[in-house]
Amino acid sequence: MMKQIALASAVLMGLSTPSFAGDISVEGVWARASAGMARAGAAFMTIKNTGTADKLVSAKADVSKTVELHTHLHEDGIMKMRQVKNIAVNKGMTMLKPGGLHVMFMGLNEPLKEGSIFPLTLVFEKAGEMNVTVMVKKVGAMGMGDAHSHGKMKH
Ligand SMILES: [Cu+2]
């Protein structure tokens, strides 16, 4: 019982309360549940910056062997993922979303289960480290409301 209450409040905190580091706040952090034996996962979020331009330079989590920053590129009509050195976080909003920028978990230690949460540390060049909570949503989820589902994308 206590455990359920703790989990519920952790989820609420992770979703409704933005995490702050300096001028940067992060909210709506989620990951898509991994399907079957998939060995990779991705996390998405909204980053708001009210100050000077910064960069997301790395991310850390213990759900996978490595954590990378990725983007998607259209090449010869095919959607491909590419690792990027950093993600520019300019003043305003930066969206990490399916089909675009994302935090990639390479070599998952165990599947990401729908409804579970896990901690993620974001490292910004100027603002420093920020701890956020990732909420795992169902396979095929595209984000808030899942209104713009374009089917499954292979990682
Ligand atoms: Cu990726």
Side-chain angles (χ1 to χ4, degrees):
M1 190 63 184
M2 287 305 290
K3 203 176 175 185
Q4 282 175 359
I5 290 167
L7 180 67
S9 60
V11 168
L12 283 175
M13 278 176 64
L15 292 180
S16 61
T17 311
S19 303
F20 287 92
D23 295 320
I24 293 179
S25 64
V26 173
E27 59 187 28
V29 189
W30 66 281
R32 194 182 281 147
S34 56
M37 296 298 287
R39 301 304 310 269
F44 314 98
M45 66 198 75
T46 300
I47 303 172
K48 286 179 191 164
N49 184 356
T50 57
T52 52
D54 204 338
K55 285 173 186 165
L56 176 61
V57 290
S58 65
K60 297 180 270 191
D62 54 18
V63 294
S64 62
K65 290 184 182 66
T66 58
V67 184
E68 298 177 355
L69 303 177
H70 277 196
T71 190
H72 274 101
L73 296 172
H74 283 284
E75 232 170 52
D76 305 324
I78 303 166
M79 191 89 108
K80 290 180 179 174
M81 292 201 305
R82 278 286 149 76
Q83 188 175 6
V84 292
K85 272 192 170 163
N86 55 61
I87 292 173
V89 179
N90 296 320
K91 189 169 184 175
M93 277 220 283
T94 302
M95 304 283 291
L96 275 61
K97 58 187 179 184
L101 296 161
H102 56 279
V103 175
M104 191 87 198
F105 306 105
M106 305 292 284
L108 288 173
N109 297 320
E110 54 187 271
L112 299 179
K113 288 207 179 73
E114 181 184 349
S116 66
I117 58 172
F118 65 90
L120 171 68
T121 302
L122 303 171
V123 185
F124 295 94
E125 190 175 71
K126 291 174 187 161
E129 294 197 352
M130 182 193 296
N131 295 313
V132 298
T133 301
V134 184
M135 172 93 205
V136 181
K137 296 189 180 180
K138 68 174 184 283
V139 178
M142 293 297 286
M144 296 298 174
D146 303 330
H148 299 93
S149 183
H150 293 100
K152 288 195 184 86
M153 208 175 332
K154 271 204 165 165
H155 264 101

